[in-house]
Amino acid sequence: MASQLLDVKGLNCPLPILRAKKALKDVAIGGTLEVLATDPGAVKDFEAFCRTTGNELVSSKEEGKVFSFVIKRTS
Amino acid sequence: MASSPLYIVLCSGEHEKLQMAAMMASVGAVSERPVEVFVSMNAILAFAKDAPAADARYQGGAFSKLLKEKRAPDAITLFRQGKALGDLKLWACSMALDVKGWELSALVDDLFDGALGLTKFLSDAENGQFITL
Protein backbone atom coordinates (compact mmCIF):
# COMPACT_ATOMS: atom_id res chain seq x y z
CA MET A 1 0.00 0.00 0.00
CA ALA A 2 1.23 3.46 -0.85
CA SER A 3 1.65 5.86 2.02
CA GLN A 4 -0.29 8.65 0.28
CA LEU A 5 -3.04 8.78 -2.32
CA LEU A 6 -3.60 11.38 -5.05
CA ASP A 7 -6.83 11.21 -7.02
CA VAL A 8 -6.60 13.14 -10.31
CA LYS A 9 -9.32 11.26 -12.14
CA GLY A 10 -11.05 13.51 -14.68
CA LEU A 11 -8.12 15.92 -14.97
CA ASN A 12 -6.31 16.38 -18.27
CA CYS A 13 -2.65 16.97 -19.06
CA PRO A 14 -0.70 18.69 -17.56
CA LEU A 15 -2.59 18.72 -14.25
CA PRO A 16 -1.98 15.08 -13.18
CA ILE A 17 1.79 15.56 -13.44
CA LEU A 18 1.73 18.97 -11.73
CA ARG A 19 -0.40 17.60 -8.87
CA ALA A 20 1.85 14.55 -8.53
CA LYS A 21 4.96 16.71 -8.32
CA LYS A 22 3.33 18.80 -5.62
CA ALA A 23 2.12 15.76 -3.68
CA LEU A 24 5.54 14.10 -3.82
CA LYS A 25 7.00 17.03 -1.89
CA ASP A 26 4.96 15.87 1.10
CA VAL A 27 6.10 12.25 0.82
CA ALA A 28 9.12 11.25 2.89
CA ILE A 29 12.15 10.00 0.96
CA GLY A 30 11.62 6.26 0.54
CA GLY A 31 7.86 6.71 0.92
CA THR A 32 5.32 6.10 -1.83
CA LEU A 33 2.52 7.96 -3.55
CA GLU A 34 -0.35 6.26 -5.33
CA VAL A 35 -1.88 8.24 -8.19
CA LEU A 36 -5.27 7.50 -9.73
CA ALA A 37 -5.76 9.06 -13.19
CA THR A 38 -7.96 8.78 -16.25
CA ASP A 39 -5.99 10.93 -18.70
CA PRO A 40 -5.31 8.68 -21.73
CA GLY A 41 -1.69 9.82 -21.89
CA ALA A 42 -1.03 9.13 -18.22
CA VAL A 43 0.79 5.78 -18.57
CA LYS A 44 3.53 7.12 -20.82
CA ASP A 45 3.53 10.48 -19.02
CA PHE A 46 4.16 8.97 -15.59
CA GLU A 47 6.87 6.65 -16.99
CA ALA A 48 8.63 9.72 -18.42
CA PHE A 49 8.04 11.80 -15.29
CA CYS A 50 9.64 9.16 -13.07
CA ARG A 51 12.57 8.71 -15.45
CA THR A 52 13.35 12.44 -15.63
CA THR A 53 12.85 13.12 -11.93
CA GLY A 54 14.74 10.01 -10.82
CA ASN A 55 11.81 8.68 -8.79
CA GLU A 56 10.90 5.02 -9.02
CA LEU A 57 7.72 3.88 -10.76
CA VAL A 58 6.96 0.87 -8.56
CA SER A 59 3.82 -0.18 -10.42
CA SER A 60 1.53 0.90 -13.22
CA LYS A 61 -1.89 -0.72 -13.56
CA GLU A 62 -5.14 -0.22 -15.43
CA GLU A 63 -8.47 -1.17 -13.90
CA GLY A 64 -11.44 -0.34 -16.07
CA LYS A 65 -10.72 3.15 -17.31
CA VAL A 66 -8.67 4.14 -14.29
CA PHE A 67 -4.89 4.02 -14.25
CA SER A 68 -3.08 3.64 -10.97
CA PHE A 69 0.58 4.34 -10.40
CA VAL A 70 2.72 3.84 -7.34
CA ILE A 71 5.70 6.18 -7.22
CA LYS A 72 8.50 5.84 -4.69
CA ARG A 73 10.22 9.07 -3.80
CA THR A 74 13.94 8.48 -4.07
CA SER A 75 15.38 11.94 -3.40
CA MET B 1 19.18 13.75 -13.77
CA ALA B 2 20.25 16.92 -15.57
CA SER B 3 18.32 17.60 -18.76
CA SER B 4 19.08 20.16 -21.41
CA PRO B 5 17.33 23.43 -20.54
CA LEU B 6 14.28 24.44 -22.54
CA TYR B 7 14.06 27.96 -23.95
CA ILE B 8 10.69 29.16 -25.22
CA VAL B 9 10.15 32.35 -27.17
CA LEU B 10 6.49 33.20 -26.80
CA CYS B 11 5.35 35.93 -29.16
CA SER B 12 1.86 34.90 -30.27
CA GLY B 13 -1.10 36.26 -28.35
CA GLU B 14 -3.31 33.37 -29.48
CA HIS B 15 -4.88 31.50 -26.60
CA GLU B 16 -3.89 28.11 -28.00
CA LYS B 17 -0.20 29.05 -28.21
CA LEU B 18 -0.19 30.69 -24.77
CA GLN B 19 -1.77 27.54 -23.37
CA MET B 20 0.75 25.27 -25.10
CA ALA B 21 3.64 27.38 -23.85
CA ALA B 22 2.27 27.25 -20.30
CA MET B 23 1.81 23.47 -20.54
CA MET B 24 5.34 22.90 -21.88
CA ALA B 25 6.91 25.27 -19.37
CA SER B 26 5.14 23.78 -16.36
CA VAL B 27 5.65 20.14 -17.36
CA GLY B 28 9.28 20.79 -18.23
CA ALA B 29 9.90 22.49 -14.90
CA VAL B 30 8.30 19.74 -12.82
CA SER B 31 10.27 17.16 -14.82
CA GLU B 32 13.38 18.80 -13.39
CA ARG B 33 14.30 20.52 -16.60
CA PRO B 34 15.25 24.20 -16.32
CA VAL B 35 12.88 26.31 -18.43
CA GLU B 36 13.11 29.94 -19.47
CA VAL B 37 10.35 31.76 -21.35
CA PHE B 38 10.92 35.01 -23.23
CA VAL B 39 7.62 36.85 -23.73
CA SER B 40 7.34 39.42 -26.52
CA MET B 41 5.05 40.90 -29.19
CA ASN B 42 1.33 40.13 -28.86
CA ALA B 43 1.98 37.55 -26.17
CA ILE B 44 2.95 40.21 -23.67
CA LEU B 45 -0.49 41.80 -23.97
CA ALA B 46 -2.06 38.68 -22.43
CA PHE B 47 -0.01 39.26 -19.28
CA ALA B 48 -1.28 42.79 -18.66
CA LYS B 49 -2.21 43.28 -15.04
CA ASP B 50 -5.30 45.27 -15.97
CA ALA B 51 -6.55 42.79 -18.58
CA PRO B 52 -10.21 41.88 -18.29
CA ALA B 53 -11.46 38.53 -17.01
CA ALA B 54 -9.80 35.33 -18.26
CA ASP B 55 -12.29 34.77 -21.05
CA ALA B 56 -11.36 38.10 -22.63
CA ARG B 57 -7.65 37.87 -21.78
CA TYR B 58 -7.23 34.77 -23.94
CA GLN B 59 -8.39 35.20 -27.54
CA GLY B 60 -8.13 32.41 -30.06
CA GLY B 61 -9.84 30.11 -32.51
CA ALA B 62 -11.94 26.98 -32.37
CA PHE B 63 -9.76 25.21 -29.83
CA SER B 64 -9.72 28.25 -27.58
CA LYS B 65 -13.51 27.96 -27.36
CA LEU B 66 -13.17 24.33 -26.33
CA LEU B 67 -10.52 25.16 -23.73
CA LYS B 68 -12.87 27.73 -22.20
CA GLU B 69 -15.90 25.41 -22.37
CA LYS B 70 -13.99 22.58 -20.72
CA ARG B 71 -12.52 24.95 -18.16
CA ALA B 72 -8.92 24.06 -18.99
CA PRO B 73 -6.49 25.43 -16.42
CA ASP B 74 -5.67 29.10 -16.88
CA ALA B 75 -2.32 29.62 -18.69
CA ILE B 76 -1.05 32.13 -16.13
CA THR B 77 -1.95 29.72 -13.32
CA LEU B 78 0.02 26.96 -15.07
CA PHE B 79 3.06 29.21 -15.37
CA ARG B 80 2.75 30.03 -11.65
CA GLN B 81 2.52 26.34 -10.74
CA GLY B 82 5.61 25.61 -12.83
CA LYS B 83 7.50 28.34 -10.97
CA ALA B 84 6.36 27.03 -7.59
CA LEU B 85 7.29 23.42 -8.35
CA GLY B 86 10.40 23.71 -10.52
CA ASP B 87 13.06 25.86 -12.13
CA LEU B 88 10.99 28.11 -14.41
CA LYS B 89 11.83 31.69 -15.26
CA LEU B 90 9.80 34.16 -17.30
CA TRP B 91 11.37 37.19 -18.90
CA ALA B 92 9.56 40.16 -20.38
CA CYS B 93 11.11 41.36 -23.64
CA SER B 94 12.61 44.77 -22.92
CA MET B 95 11.80 45.96 -26.43
CA ALA B 96 8.12 44.99 -26.07
CA LEU B 97 7.87 46.79 -22.73
CA ASP B 98 9.51 49.87 -24.24
CA VAL B 99 7.25 49.95 -27.31
CA LYS B 100 4.17 49.61 -25.09
CA GLY B 101 5.49 52.25 -22.70
CA TRP B 102 5.16 49.72 -19.89
CA GLU B 103 7.22 49.00 -16.79
CA LEU B 104 7.37 45.48 -15.38
CA SER B 105 4.72 46.56 -12.91
CA ALA B 106 2.19 46.66 -15.78
CA LEU B 107 2.36 42.85 -15.93
CA VAL B 108 0.64 40.37 -13.63
CA ASP B 109 2.33 40.08 -10.25
CA ASP B 110 4.70 37.33 -9.10
CA LEU B 111 5.30 35.84 -12.53
CA PHE B 112 8.13 37.61 -14.33
CA ASP B 113 11.71 37.39 -13.14
CA GLY B 114 12.58 40.63 -14.87
CA ALA B 115 13.01 42.33 -18.24
CA LEU B 116 15.58 40.97 -20.66
CA GLY B 117 16.98 41.78 -24.10
CA LEU B 118 16.84 39.23 -26.91
CA THR B 119 20.63 39.15 -27.27
CA LYS B 120 21.06 37.98 -23.68
CA PHE B 121 18.27 35.41 -24.00
CA LEU B 122 19.73 33.97 -27.23
CA SER B 123 23.15 33.84 -25.65
CA ASP B 124 21.79 31.99 -22.59
CA ALA B 125 19.92 29.59 -24.90
CA GLU B 126 23.00 28.49 -26.84
CA ASN B 127 23.20 25.12 -25.16
CA GLY B 128 19.52 24.36 -24.70
CA GLN B 129 16.54 23.34 -26.77
CA PHE B 130 14.82 26.27 -28.41
CA ILE B 131 11.09 26.53 -29.16
CA THR B 132 9.19 29.45 -30.66
CA LEU B 133 5.44 29.91 -30.33
Side-chain angles (χ1 to χ4, degrees):
Chain A
M1 283 295 290
S3 51
Q4 292 202 35
L5 178 68
L6 175 69
D7 185 349
V8 289
K9 294 195 298 286
L11 297 182
N12 288 325
C13 171
L15 293 179
I17 291 292
L18 299 186
R19 299 276 168 91
K21 176 77 173 183
K22 191 175 181 193
L24 274 170
K25 284 177 181 277
D26 295 328
V27 173
I29 291 171
T32 53
L33 174 72
E34 182 173 13
V35 182
L36 302 177
T38 50
D39 184 298
V43 172
K44 298 279 184 196
D45 278 352
F46 275 91
E47 285 173 10
F49 173 73
C50 288
R51 191 178 69 248
T52 56
T53 58
N55 292 299
E56 182 186 342
L57 185 59
V58 177
S59 69
S60 172
K61 293 181 200 158
E62 181 178 355
E63 289 172 29
K65 291 185 175 176
V66 178
F67 304 106
S68 71
F69 310 99
V70 175
I71 301 168
K72 184 175 179 182
R73 184 177 171 191
T74 53
S75 62
Chain B
M1 197 182 302
S3 297
S4 152
L6 189 59
Y7 293 88
I8 301 172
V9 169
L10 176 57
C11 49
S12 170
E14 276 179 61
H15 185 193
E16 292 88 339
K17 291 190 176 182
L18 292 165
Q19 190 76 13
M20 198 66 226
M23 291 167 67
M24 284 197 290
S26 57
V27 169
V30 302
S31 300
E32 294 186 18
R33 188 167 187 183
V35 182
E36 299 201 24
V37 185
F38 184 79
V39 182
S40 187
M41 304 294 176
N42 284 336
I44 209 155
L45 305 178
F47 293 89
K49 192 184 282 180
D50 62 358
D55 270 14
R57 182 188 289 277
Y58 305 118
Q59 299 294 330
F63 215 90
S64 170
K65 284 183 190 152
L66 285 173
L67 290 170
K68 289 173 181 174
E69 278 172 26
K70 302 282 184 185
R71 298 190 174 279
D74 179 274
I76 288 173
T77 303
L78 287 179
F79 280 123
R80 286 213 169 97
Q81 289 182 2
K83 283 182 81 81
L85 297 169
D87 181 3
L88 168 60
K89 294 187 177 73
L90 274 89
W91 303 105
C93 168
S94 52
M95 177 281 291
L97 287 178
D98 192 46
V99 168
K100 275 297 290 176
W102 280 356
E103 301 289 335
L104 264 180
S105 57
L107 305 176
V108 290
D109 291 326
D110 304 324
L111 191 61
F112 285 87
D113 292 82
L116 205 63
L118 183 59
T119 307
K120 168 67 172 154
F121 187 79
L122 286 179
S123 158
D124 290 348
E126 269 179 0
N127 295 314
Q129 188 179 4
F130 200 87
I131 293 170
T132 304
L133 285 169

